[in-house]
Amino acid sequence: AGAAMAEGEALVSVDYEVSGKVQGVFFRKYTQGEAKRLGLVGWVQNTSHGTVQGQIQGPAARVRELQEWLRKIGSPQSRISRAEFSNEKKIAALEHQDFQILK
């Protein structure tokens, strides 16, 4: 084993759900694009109750960046009222190959 990873480099997994005007505004596509730009993996999907949910995995510092993006920015036409994060945990390895939009 090499040196311990810095805190910002530790891999984490976190679930998210974003409420507001987030369906029909390309929110999933923009989330996927932002996640890929940050080098993160996971997924995003619309829910039956009008929110967008998913999971993010990657280096903690990058995950924080996407959490901020989900909380404050989103897609250009979206209106985010709330972003909730849950089940955050450290993981030994990524559980997804890439960042997918699920139907």
Side-chain angles (χ1 to χ4, degrees), residues 5 9-14 41 56-60 88-96:
M5 290 190 289
E9 294 303 305
L11 294 176
V12 298
S13 174
V14 65
V41 300
I56 314 164
Q57 294 187 348
E88 183 168 325
K89 59 183 187 285
K90 284 204 168 92
I91 52 174
L94 299 175
E95 296 161 349
H96 306 284

Side-chain angles (χ1 to χ4, degrees), residues 17-22 50-52 79-84:
E17 184 167 13
V18 185
S19 309
K21 186 188 170 197
V22 292
T51 65
V52 168
R79 293 283 176 276
I80 299 163
S81 59
R82 190 166 81 243
E84 295 178 274

